[in-house]
Amino acid sequence: MPRIRQITIIGTGLIGGSFALALKKNRFRGKIIGCDRKPVLDQAKRRRAIDVAIPDPVEACSGSDLVVLATPVGGIIELIEKLAPHLPASTLLTDVGSTKSEVMRVAEKVFGSDISRRFLGGHPMAGKENSGIEFADAELFRGAVWFLTPAAKQTPKTAGVAEFSALLKKLGANIIALDSAEHDRLCAWISHVPQMVSTALAATLVDEYGENSALLEAGGRALREMTRISASPYSMWRDIAITNTQQIADALHKLEQELAHIRENLGTRQLEEEFERAHKLKKQSKHSRRRPRQ
């Protein structure tokens, strides 16, 4: 893959718009084409995130070296199948979907033995509780992890992968490569379950306090932090829940068991043991950060 001169971003909302703004801020000299609904594209143009606005996905990809699918996961899967016949072999297709196993399965079916040159699964861990181009931020990916889920035989030196990885590093992202199944298991714990817990807590508080919700402000920062992402729209999470159902369900089941154990031991020393066990997480995280990189 030659130097990336033209990039198409399909879905210019929070992630796609932020990617475009980050490219601009980090002096990408090529052309950026945005593809979305016209009102979204109009706003992306006003923010100078994109150079050209093309609503039709197939037309928008014409002449691009890199195509980034930044829609919900269901849309990504549909677009892989729709775009594949129209993309030249020299174009690298990648995505930002929050689940990867189903995305990779479809890409393998569509591209076959060419997948290592044609498609690279990706997922930036850089969302917000708000969606839309109006919340796009050029610094969204700086310091954030960008997961890549390479296909079999795809290496960091595979055509296109090296160029795209170099581009991500310019944006300040930290790249981690994972198998798609391991990615989905990990993200169930670090992203999907926290969202479901926040949603469940906020919904329960609505049931418990209703019109007296102003009293909840007394909870301070702890409650605000735990319910902040409950403001995330269902449209952002529907496809995640559908395409990672088993991993999320398994994680929630284990959490339910732990909550039941805590509930049953509120008046025993086992509660203290659970607090001590929980404290290990922060200690282990600190230890990991201190370890020198290999």
Side-chain angles (χ1 to χ4, degrees):
M1 181 179 180
R3 184 169 63 86
I4 299 172
R5 294 183 175 85
Q6 182 173 302
I7 298 174
T8 294
I9 302 171
I10 301 181
T12 55
L14 173 66
I15 299 297
S18 294
F19 185 66
L21 289 171
L23 289 170
K24 295 280 189 180
K25 186 168 184 176
N26 288 276
R27 300 181 180 180
F28 174 69
R29 301 301 184 191
K31 183 188 291 185
I32 301 175
I33 297 172
C35 177
D36 210 309
R37 295 178 293 109
K38 188 178 183 302
V40 179
L41 290 174
D42 289 344
Q43 195 164 355
K45 285 275 284 183
R46 284 195 296 272
R47 294 201 61 183
R48 298 183 180 179
I50 60 176
D51 301 307
V52 180
I54 302 177
D56 179 73
V58 174
E59 185 184 347
C61 293
S62 179
S64 287
D65 306 299
L66 175 69
V67 175
V68 180
L69 304 180
T71 69
V73 176
I76 287 169
I77 289 169
E78 290 177 5
L79 284 163
I80 291 171
E81 295 180 305
K82 180 176 183 176
L83 295 175
H86 304 280
L87 296 176
S90 59
T91 298
L92 179 67
L93 182 64
T94 188
D95 79 303
V96 300
S98 299
T99 62
K100 296 267 69 81
S101 293
E102 185 64 13
V103 168
M104 295 303 296
R105 186 192 68 77
V106 172
E108 286 166 5
K109 182 185 76 172
V110 169
F111 291 114
S113 59
D114 283 342
I115 187 173
S116 64
R117 296 186 298 110
R118 306 284 303 276
F119 185 83
L120 176 61
H123 174 208
M125 296 294 291
K128 295 181 180 180
E129 66 271 24
N130 303 111
S131 61
I133 181 65
E134 59 269 33
F135 297 102
D137 178 1
E139 292 295 307
L140 188 65
F141 309 110
R142 188 160 303 281
V145 167
W146 195 300
F147 285 121
L148 297 179
T149 56
K153 299 181 181 179
Q154 199 171 45
T155 73
K157 294 183 179 179
T158 301
V161 177
E163 289 83 355
F164 181 58
S165 297
L167 195 63
L168 294 181
K169 288 175 182 176
K170 277 189 176 181
L171 307 187
N174 299 318
I175 299 171
I176 296 179
L178 277 181
D179 171 78
S180 58
E182 178 55 29
H183 166 277
D184 287 359
R185 178 176 177 273
L186 176 64
C187 285
W189 280 108
I190 67 175
S191 177
H192 309 161
V193 165
Q195 175 63 53
M196 301 307 164
V197 169
S198 181
T199 297
L201 177 58
T204 305
L205 287 170
V206 169
D207 290 342
E208 288 293 316
Y209 283 90
E211 294 179 359
N212 294 319
S213 59
L215 291 171
L216 300 176
E217 291 299 318
R221 191 175 75 175
L223 185 64
R224 285 196 298 272
E225 288 179 353
M226 287 199 68
T227 57
R228 177 180 59 82
I229 59 173
S230 68
S232 299
Y234 170 66
S235 59
M236 286 174 57
W237 288 93
R238 177 193 57 216
D239 292 355
I240 294 172
I242 290 171
T243 56
N244 204 27
T245 302
Q246 193 58 54
Q247 296 284 13
I248 298 172
D250 289 347
L252 285 172
H253 180 64
K254 290 176 181 177
L255 182 60
E256 287 166 8
Q257 290 179 313
E258 178 63 20
L259 286 170
H261 179 69
I262 288 174
R263 184 189 68 233
E264 291 162 5
N265 289 281
L266 290 173
T268 76
R269 287 296 297 273
Q270 286 197 37
L271 180 62
E272 180 183 7
E273 291 174 9
E274 294 308 295
F275 269 74
E276 290 174 354
R277 200 153 62 92
H279 293 164
K280 291 179 181 178
L281 181 64
K282 195 165 187 179
K283 291 175 182 176
Q284 289 168 350
S285 296
K286 285 181 179 178
H287 179 68
S288 297
R289 284 196 291 269
R290 287 197 198 103
R291 256 187 276 169
R293 292 189 178 182
Q294 300 297 316

